[in-house]
Every structure is written in C-alpha cells, then in structure tokens.
Amino acid sequence: MHRLVTNLVILSVCILGAASQTDRDCWFDPPNSCAECLLRGPQCGWCAKVDYPETRCNTVVNLQAEGCDQSDIMNPQGNGPVLTQNLPLTEAGSRGIPADDIVQVSPQRAHLQLRPGESAQVRLQVRQVQDYPVDLYYLMDLSSSMYDDLITLRRLGSRLASTMQRITSNFRLGLGFYVDKTVLPYVNPYTIDTVCEQYNSPCARVFSFKNSLPLTTNVSAFTDTLHREAVAVNRDFPEGGFDALMQVAACEDQIRWREGATRLVVYPTDALSKMAGDGKLAAILPPNDEQCHLHPGTGEYLESSNQDYPSIGQLANILRQKNIQPIFAIAEDTRPAVRYKPHVLPTYQRLSQLLPGSTMATLESDSSNIVELVEEAYRKLRSEVKLQVVNPPAELQLQFTSICKDGQVTQGGARCSNLTVGDTVEFEVTLTAAGCPKDGKTAQISLVPVGFGGELTVDVDIMCNCGCEDNSQPASPHCTSGNGTLECGICTCYSNRYGRQCECSSEDAAGSSTAQCVAPGSKVECSGRGSCVCGRCDCGERYAGPFCGCDNFSCDRSNGQLCGGPERGVCKCGQCACVSGWQGNACQCSSRIDTCMVDERICNDQGRCECGKCVCHPDSPYGGDRCDSCPTCPGNCVANQACVQCLVFQTGKLTPEQCSERCPLNVTVVQSLPDDILSSSETCRFHDDDDCIVTFTYGRGQSKELEVTVKKTKECPGPVPVLPIVLGVIGGIVLIGLALLVLWRMLIYLYDRVEYRRFERERQATKFTSSENPLYKSNTTRFSNPTFRGRKNSAKLYGDDDLGDVMELTSEQSSA
C-alpha cells in the first residue's frame, strides 16, 4: 500500500511538472507575433488586446486569469477529417464490373485542419475483390544467354495467358525486349548484325529497348511476337534492363496501362543491369530524365545513346508513382563461361527490397517454370497489403497502426499479410503538423496500398495564421502617430522606427542616453532583462519596473504551478497576488475557517486553524483533523457514570447531597433508546453495584447543553443454575473415566495379539535335526576303509565296480 501511494505521488508530480512545462513552452522567450505563438504548440493562445500588459502568448486559462477577454484571445482550433470522397468498397465476389468502377480503397479523399503540433487520425480500409483487372507486361532479356528461355516462352506463352485468365478474366498481356545501349564498349556497332553460330540461326539487331506488343487481350499476338524475335549479341554481361524498365513505367500511353488496374512487369534475366554512372564508360553523361522516349512506330527507345542509365532511386520513384509492381524472375546460369556471376541472385533479392511492391523468384535455366513462377508471385503480391506514402511533406509526421485479419492490431505497422479475396483490413494513420509550409499552400499526402489501384489523398490545411492579421490597421494612431501597423494587438513599426509603440526614431538613437536605463548600483542596462529604448527600459512582456527588476515567473510554486495556478493567484513582480479565499507565499493556503469548526469552536479550542486545517497544540492530548479526537482521555462516559447512578438508580458512591451538587445534568429516562439518538450521540455502558449493565447516551442538544438519555431497564444477568452445573461435571467425569477404561482395554488387546503372532512365528521357525535328537537317529552305520581307496579307483579304471565298494553293516548284522 505504501508503495502504491508513493507511485501515485510521483505520478502526480510528473503530471503537474509536465503541465508546467507545457505552459512554459508558450511564454518562455516570448514570441514576437501571433503566428510565432501558434508554432509553440496547440495549447498556446495569443491575446490581441491593445495595451495588454502581460505575456501575450500563454495558455488560454492563464490569459483569462491575467485579464484578457475571451473575444481577444486568438486560439484557432483544428477539426477532424472531413471525407470529401467516400465511395463504399466493392463486394468481394463482384464480377463484370468496369475497372473504373471497382473500389478497393475507401475513403478516397479527406480534408484536415491542424494547428502546428496538433494531431488527427484518418482511417483507411482496403479490400481485395475477385475479378480485379490485371495488366501484365513481359519484359524479356533478349541477349544471347537467354536463347533457351526464348524457346521455352514460345512454347509456354499461351499457357501463361490462360493461367492468368483463370485467376481473373479481366486480363491483358504485353511484351517488350531489351539488350543494351548500342555504343561501345557495350556492343560493337560495326558488328550489330551478326550470325549466332552456336544457335545456328541469325541474331537480331542489337537494340536498347523495344515495345514489341502493347498490352492486349489477343493471346495469339503474344505468341506470334515471340516467334518473330531472335536473340542478340552484346559484349558484356550486365544488360540495359533498367533503361527498359524506366521506359515501361514512363510510357503509360504507349504501353497502354489501364487506370486502376493491377500493373505487373515480369522481368526475366540471368544477368545484372547497368545503372546510373555506368554510362560514363561510353561518355554518356546526361542523367536519365524519367520521361518517355519511344518511337511512335517501332516502339524503340530513342535516347539510349544520349542519356545515362536510371538510378535505383529514380526507378523506385517512378514505379511508386505509376503503381507498377515488378516480378524479378532470375535464372541461375550454370554454364562454365559465366561462373564468375555468383552475385546475380543476392543482388536482385536486395533490389526487390528497395523497389516498392516488387518480388523476386528463381527461374529455371531454360525458364520452364515461368508459368508457375508468375502465378505464385502474383498470388504472393495479392496476399499482402502494404501502405505506402507518396511524397510526404516535411511539415507532416505520420504514425501507422494496422488492423489486419482477425482483428490483429500492430502499432507502427503499415502492412498486412496472409490475406485472401474478400478480406478487409484497416489502417489508422495519425498525422501531426510539425510546422508550417514555406509556400503557405495546403499540404497534401497520398496513402497508397501498393498494387491495389486506389489511394487516399489527404489535404491538410496547417493553420499558421491567427485570423487577426486580416483586421490589421495600417498607420494606426496607437503606434505613435501612425508610425506602424497595429496587428493582433501589437505594433509592426515602419522603417526607421522602433519601440513597443514605434515611439522611437533611429535618427534620435544617437542622442539618447543609456545611463538613464541603468539602476543605481548596477552597471547593466535594464538589469540585463530588457533593452534601452529612447532612454527607457523596454522590459518586454515577462519583466516590469523602471529597470526591469520585477518578473512574473519567479514566484513560489504550489502544486507545480506559479502561485498555485490562475485559480489561486498570479505572479506580480516576484510575489504572488492571491485571489479571495487563498493566502500564503504561494497561495497554497485556504483562508476558510469553516473546515476547522467543532460546535462553533475553532479546532475544539485545542489548536489553531492554518490553511483551512487544524494544527493542534503540542501540549494538548487531542488530535485529528479538527483536534476533537483523544484516545487517552477518559471521556464523558466515565465522567457522567456517577451522576447517572445517583440521579436515576440511587446507587453509587455519591450521597444525595453530593449528587444534587455535582450533577446539574438534563437527564431523560426512556424505556428504550430511539435509533436517532443512538446515531447522533455517544453511547455508554457500565456495570452498576448489582452487577447489572446500565446504558445511556449523551450529546449536545439544540441549546448546546449537555443532554443525557438513560435506558430505564438494566440488563441484569439471570440466576446461576447450580444443580445442572454439578450434574454436568459429574457426568463429564464418569464419561471421561469410561473412555479411559475402554482405551486401556483396547491397548491390552492389541498388545496380546502382537505377542501371540510373534510366538507363532518363532514356533514355526524351530526345526530339529537327526544329529540333535537321539530319537530320530538312523539305524544304519557306515564304515569306510581308506586302504581300499586305491583299489576302488583301479576298479573304476578296469570296470570292476565291486572292488571299490564301501562296506556297510547294519546294527542288526553287527549284533548277529
């Protein structure tokens, strides 16, 4: 219990300290404008009252306590999210719905108003529907090492299309090829048209990227295009795949990406890709511009020789913007000639972690598992929802909470996995305004579930103006003859003017004496707490006095607040000015005395009232909250006992004369004590001379006199039943004797049984042998002649058994 109380005290101190620090954030180092005050936090307000003497930036409670009217307090409040577009989610089993009408993300647009430091929550729901449109673009490496893969894809192209159509009937397929830039040292431009002798077939002309088949539902066109193409020969193993991937993402119209569809790019290869900086080998220095440069007729990349390869960051950015998910199908080439390429798989594994929504899988050396790979990768991508933030502004801070399948909540999570069609997940996004936009425009943020063809756009108005700026008064007479603009209660001085009310001119600054701003005995202007303006100390809003010697923040604290808080007092020049009802150096004491009263006596006349509580005299035996408790005092029960005996029952030690003299009591005798008297008075009980119990109560009546109420009937004990007691004692003794006798008899019986069993065991264990008992001695005597032992052994040797026999004579033969 002690530990619990200690923890509660510590928690209270921490809370009060935090509240005090929150107040300090507003007024410490006072801001110069209302807009700067708003940046201190959502708890701060600004007093726009003209000639307001206190700190203008403070909490609303403190501003009101210091005399600022509610109408002059600038405290703009933000509002929660207003959903400006909130289409309901499409049912999971819906089929045949146009792609533009399918809604997998809800809501679609929201609007927020936040003050700097203020937070708000936005909830986002995501659901995967059954027949969602899918655009799959097959971007193939057409270098000579992929010859086997090209042959396999020609055979499996129709199967790939039919497999995806089983997953979703709203499916389109496209095809593109890449090799590398057509310049030295990547290829030999003089031998671009060559013969692939190892494949006994002509090689294709080397090119960078070619969009051979835009997205279409014509599966036969896909297979026909594959049969028309042939591999090409370049001079190094890293290919130009990133050039091709950039064009596939940038050229939405030429690739024919559908708005709102799931966009997939299958990227099969067995080699790494060149990236930004590798173009320097060919003296290609201009960076990639992330724009589309495809020939409108042939579909080939036109700027291959003029722009460098894109960086991973550029790819990540455009893939995120276009909502495209690459599937890296990496073939592990086992040919001896390429054994020095061991880092292809690990590199693409790391790359899939950098590019949003991408995945990586291992392709067989001849691409024979391409269909299964694409199907598995698609299902993997669709089983996961990952929330992605597009171009978050620096003024907003975001925190995520995911509510996934079966209500599983993950703080700080922006991902849900193991989902199936129809599962709905939620994301709670907390947006905190960390500052004001530099351009003053509305901050906008997009929350995009990767691969789901929808997003939530949140428009956030960060309120960095108080509103009083719109009512500014140029050339206000309050600013010393119109030398400034009155805005939000303060003067914004024109050029060559300064001072709180623009009362000083820069032309007069040289002639003003700073000695007038130095206090006697000091060498510092304005006590180091202000500035000397026009020969007077400008102390700001935290200090006061002719030399800024007073402050209103160094007063004593109570309950963690200056002067106990604005409801108790305010700090004036280093001392607390307490409001009515409070007193003390920190306004910590209540000036009320009604909490100390006991029967119209302050602290029962046993102490003094301080801070609304009784402080008992050190030499008084009384204690308690009101000095009315005395555990060691005899009390009025003992004091009134003798009077009750003599006045009511004519018993006790007092004589009638002493009783009338010492007992001026108002005594009432009743048959039974009422309940109201018992609850409002002190009840006493004592034994009278006849050993009977007397009950009475005492208390103060309306006249404040001591009143005693006595119960007329005593509670006397009955006569002692002697005969039943004697008979009971005798009966008890007899019963105890019988019990002891029965116990003794049972012990003797048990002892006899044990001894008898021991005798039986010993008797059965006794045995008599023939050598001990002559009666059982045998009548046969055996003699052995040692001289015949050798003959007996010889007889055994020669078979004469009788030779070694032993002579045996019975006692009868011997006697005969």
Side-chain angles (χ1 to χ4, degrees):
M1 184 65 181
H2 176 71
R3 188 173 183 180
L4 177 60
V5 173
T6 303
N7 292 338
L8 290 176
V9 171
I10 294 174
L11 179 61
S12 302
V13 173
C14 292
I15 292 175
L16 291 174
S20 177
Q21 182 62 36
T22 300
D23 296 353
R24 182 182 175 87
D25 291 341
C26 297
W27 53 256
F28 186 75
D29 188 15
N32 297 320
S33 65
C34 185
E36 292 183 14
C37 180
L38 295 185
L39 290 174
R40 298 293 179 92
Q43 76 280 5
C44 301
W46 177 269
C47 182
K49 184 178 181 180
V50 178
D51 295 330
Y52 183 66
E54 306 295 338
T55 304
R56 292 185 179 273
C57 187
N58 211 328
T59 61
V60 175
V61 175
N62 290 343
L63 291 175
Q64 291 176 338
E66 292 173 353
C68 186
D69 298 333
Q70 182 64 39
S71 59
D72 293 325
I73 296 177
M74 301 293 105
N75 184 34
Q77 298 294 318
N79 57 15
V82 177
L83 303 181
T84 56
Q85 185 178 1
N86 186 22
L87 299 176
L89 295 173
T90 303
E91 294 297 327
S94 302
R95 290 180 177 272
I97 301 178
D100 295 340
D101 296 336
I102 294 178
V103 179
Q104 294 187 112
V105 180
S106 180
Q108 295 78 39
R109 201 172 191 93
H111 181 264
L112 281 174
Q113 283 186 329
L114 295 177
R115 281 186 56 172
E118 195 174 20
S119 300
Q121 287 77 35
V122 177
R123 277 186 172 261
L124 171 69
Q125 287 187 329
V126 182
R127 178 190 296 162
Q128 182 183 160
V129 299
Q130 178 69 36
D131 209 20
Y132 194 72
V134 175
D135 287 349
L136 188 146
Y137 193 86
Y138 201 95
L139 181 59
M140 186 173 180
D141 178 3
L142 209 59
S143 61
S144 58
S145 60
M146 296 291 289
Y147 176 78
D148 293 341
D149 304 83
L150 178 61
I151 299 301
T152 302
L153 188 59
R154 290 172 179 173
R155 176 169 47 88
L156 299 178
S158 58
R159 180 184 165 195
L160 173 63
S162 60
T163 300
M164 293 301 299
Q165 286 175 344
R166 286 199 306 269
I167 298 175
T168 173
S169 60
N170 199 347
F171 172 73
R172 296 197 309 168
L173 190 63
L175 183 60
F177 301 96
Y178 68 89
V179 182
D180 206 344
K181 294 183 182 296
T182 57
V183 294
L184 283 171
Y186 312 123
V187 298
N188 189 344
Y190 304 105
T191 60
I192 289 181
D193 299 315
T194 61
V195 177
C196 296
E197 298 177 356
Q198 64 269 39
Y199 306 123
N200 195 23
S201 63
C203 285
R205 180 179 56 85
V206 178
F207 55 90
S208 176
F209 166 68
K210 179 171 57 177
N211 178 27
S212 298
L213 180 66
L215 291 166
T216 180
T217 57
N218 188 353
V219 178
S220 60
F222 180 81
T223 56
D224 292 343
T225 304
L226 287 171
H227 282 85
R228 287 197 304 266
E229 296 295 337
V231 295
V233 178
N234 59 335
R235 303 186 65 180
D236 57 351
F237 282 107
E239 315 295 357
F242 284 1
D243 262 346
L245 191 57
M246 173 60 73
Q247 292 303 302
V248 170
C251 301
E252 288 188 278
D253 295 336
Q254 288 84 343
I255 304 297
R256 298 178 187 173
W257 293 114
R258 288 181 291 179
E259 187 69 29
T262 298
R263 300 176 176 184
L264 303 178
V265 175
V266 180
Y267 186 98
T269 185
D270 62 349
L272 299 176
S273 177
K274 300 181 180 70
M275 60 185 67
D278 291 336
K280 293 180 180 180
L281 292 174
I284 301 176
L285 301 181
N288 194 285
D289 61 1
E290 301 182 37
Q291 302 297 320
C292 179
H293 298 288
L294 295 184
H295 190 279
T298 62
E300 290 192 17
Y301 180 32
L302 299 177
E303 294 294 320
S304 170
S305 302
N306 300 323
Q307 292 186 5
D308 195 5
Y309 300 95
S311 66
I312 295 178
Q314 288 178 309
L315 283 176
N317 181 55
I318 195 167
L319 291 175
R320 179 171 53 246
Q321 290 180 358
K322 305 300 183 180
N323 204 14
I324 295 174
Q325 298 173 269
I327 301 174
F328 295 107
I330 309 304
E332 190 171 10
D333 202 332
T334 58
R335 293 176 297 167
V338 292
R339 283 182 297 178
Y340 58 86
K341 301 192 302 178
H343 303 298
V344 174
L345 286 176
T347 300
Y348 278 101
Q349 286 176 347
R350 292 192 295 269
L351 182 63
S352 64
Q353 298 172 1
L354 298 175
L355 299 182
S358 62
T359 185
M360 199 278 295
T362 303
L363 190 65
E364 296 293 339
S365 59
D366 60 350
S367 297
S368 59
N369 65 331
I370 185 63
V371 178
E372 292 78 9
L373 184 148
V374 172
E375 182 180 8
E376 180 181 355
Y378 173 77
R379 295 188 185 278
K380 179 182 178 181
L381 290 173
R382 296 295 286 175
S383 67
E384 181 181 69
V385 179
K386 181 180 179 181
L387 196 61
Q388 179 178 279
V389 183
V390 178
N391 296 328
E395 298 81 14
L396 289 178
Q397 296 177 352
L398 282 79
Q399 291 181 339
F400 298 92
T401 299
S402 60
I403 307 172
C404 299
K405 194 174 181 180
D406 300 328
Q408 181 180 0
V409 179
T410 303
Q411 297 290 338
R415 182 195 304 262
C416 289
S417 303
N418 301 321
L419 304 177
T420 58
V421 174
D423 291 337
T424 302
V425 298
E426 289 189 9
F427 297 95
E428 184 179 89
V429 185
T430 302
L431 298 94
T432 303
C436 294
K438 296 180 180 179
D439 54 3
K441 296 181 179 179
T442 299
Q444 188 177 89
I445 190 170
S446 295
L447 305 173
V448 182
V450 178
F452 275 75
E455 65 180 33
L456 168 61
T457 302
V458 183
D459 300 310
V460 183
D461 287 335
I462 302 180
M463 296 181 291
C464 296
N465 294 322
C466 297
C468 54
E469 296 90 348
D470 300 335
N471 300 322
S472 60
Q473 301 175 17
S476 172
H478 179 75
C479 300
T480 311
S481 303
N483 286 314
T485 299
L486 182 63
E487 184 178 279
C488 298
I490 61 175
C491 288
T492 302
C493 301
Y494 297 150
S495 59
N496 300 326
R497 303 294 299 187
Y498 62 99
R500 298 188 65 181
Q501 295 181 345
C502 308
E503 67 272 20
C504 298
S505 171
S506 59
E507 298 175 357
D508 302 332
S512 61
S513 175
T514 59
Q516 303 176 16
C517 299
V518 181
S522 175
K523 297 181 180 180
V524 182
E525 294 181 8
C526 303
S527 303
R529 297 177 173 180
S531 57
C532 187
V533 179
C534 298
R536 295 182 301 171
C537 285
D538 186 358
C539 303
E541 298 176 345
R542 298 304 302 165
Y543 300 95
F547 302 103
C548 304
C550 297
D551 64 72
N552 57 356
F553 61 85
S554 63
C555 295
D556 293 334
R557 293 177 178 267
S558 174
N559 294 331
Q561 300 185 45
L562 286 173
C563 303
E567 68 278 359
R568 295 187 180 184
V570 293
C571 186
K572 297 288 187 180
C573 199
Q575 294 183 348
C576 289
C578 302
V579 300
S580 177
W582 295 94
Q583 60 184 358
N585 61 328
C587 303
Q588 75 277 15
C589 293
S590 172
S591 59
R592 296 170 53 187
I593 62 172
D594 58 318
T595 56
C596 300
M597 300 300 293
V598 179
D599 294 334
E600 296 184 355
R601 293 173 295 166
I602 297 177
C603 299
N604 198 31
D605 293 333
Q606 299 293 325
R608 64 185 183 275
C609 187
E610 293 183 359
C611 297
K613 296 181 180 179
C614 286
V615 180
C616 303
H617 296 317
D619 56 349
S620 174
Y622 285 84
D625 294 339
R626 301 188 182 187
C627 302
D628 56 354
S629 175
C630 182
T632 60
C633 296
N636 289 330
C637 287
V638 178
N640 296 324
Q641 176 180 333
C643 293
V644 171
Q645 284 181 299
C646 69
L647 290 176
V648 180
F649 302 103
Q650 290 77 44
T651 59
K653 298 179 181 180
L654 297 180
T655 62
E657 293 78 10
Q658 293 174 334
C659 185
S660 60
E661 180 181 350
R662 300 181 183 180
C663 301
L665 301 179
N666 185 10
V667 180
T668 304
V669 181
V670 295
Q671 194 68 32
S672 61
L673 296 175
D675 294 338
D676 56 346
I677 294 180
L678 292 174
S679 61
S680 60
S681 304
E682 187 74 21
T683 302
C684 305
R685 294 166 65 88
F686 67 91
H687 287 273
D688 205 355
D689 297 343
D690 54 0
D691 206 23
C692 294
I693 299 176
V694 177
T695 304
F696 71 95
T697 63
Y698 71 89
R700 297 188 181 274
Q702 296 180 353
S703 62
K704 303 301 179 181
E705 297 290 335
L706 184 64
E707 296 181 354
V708 179
T709 304
V710 184
K711 185 178 179 181
K712 181 179 181 181
T713 306
K714 300 180 181 181
E715 299 178 15
C716 298
V720 178
V722 178
L723 182 59
I725 294 175
V726 172
L727 293 178
V729 172
I730 295 173
I733 294 173
V734 172
L735 290 177
I736 293 174
L738 290 175
L740 293 175
L741 182 61
V742 171
L743 179 62
W744 175 80
R745 184 68 186 88
M746 291 180 64
L747 293 175
I748 293 297
Y749 174 74
L750 294 176
Y751 178 75
D752 290 344
R753 285 180 61 86
V754 171
E755 291 297 323
Y756 178 75
R757 289 175 181 173
R758 184 185 301 170
F759 168 75
E760 285 293 329
R761 287 196 300 269
E762 292 178 355
R763 185 179 64 81
Q764 293 176 3
T766 303
K767 294 182 181 180
F768 297 95
T769 61
S770 59
S771 62
E772 296 174 353
N773 193 345
L775 297 178
Y776 295 98
K777 189 173 182 180
S778 174
N779 59 356
T780 303
T781 302
R782 174 174 293 183
F783 299 92
S784 177
N785 191 346
T787 59
F788 288 96
R789 181 173 300 174
R791 292 185 61 192
K792 184 173 181 180
N793 294 336
S794 300
K796 288 183 179 179
L797 181 62
Y798 293 98
D800 189 358
D801 293 336
D802 296 336
L803 204 65
D805 289 341
V806 179
M807 297 174 60
E808 293 183 357
L809 298 177
T810 64
S811 60
E812 294 179 355
Q813 291 172 341
S814 300
S815 63

